[in-house]
Amino acid sequence: MAEDVYKTTFERAAVGIAHVDLEGNLIRANSRMLQILRRSREELTGLHFSRATHEDDVEMDQQSFD
């Protein structure tokens, strides 16, 4: 039950959500994130988050990640 609630919340969120592994590679993204980035799930999976981040935000996001 809890897993179903989590999955539904993740997919139906009004904001883009992505999970990354310890190296910063995308392991999953919700539908809204795919829409925002105009990419498919296959294109994003395994991609380092810095490659899917606006260039103005990469440094700040990298600092947060570190």
Side-chain angles (χ1 to χ4, degrees):
M1 170 88 176
E3 187 174 337
D4 292 336
V5 171
Y6 165 78
K7 287 180 181 180
T8 300
T9 302
F10 180 80
E11 270 307 314
R12 294 187 180 176
V15 297
I17 302 171
H19 294 165
V20 299
D21 63 18
L22 295 174
E23 286 78 41
N25 300 311
L26 290 149
I27 53 176
R28 74 180 56 85
N30 70 354
S31 297
R32 183 63 184 131
M33 181 63 84
L34 300 176
Q35 290 173 345
I36 291 168
L37 297 176
R38 296 185 180 133
R39 300 217 185 160
S40 70
R41 199 169 307 277
E42 294 75 24
E43 288 176 298
L44 286 180
T45 301
L47 190 68
H48 192 270
F49 76 85
S50 64
R51 305 273 322 271
T53 302
H54 189 278
E55 61 187 34
D56 293 344
D57 299 325
V58 171
E59 184 177 336
M60 179 180 63
D61 286 357
Q62 185 65 53
Q63 288 174 0
S64 295
F65 180 76
D66 292 341

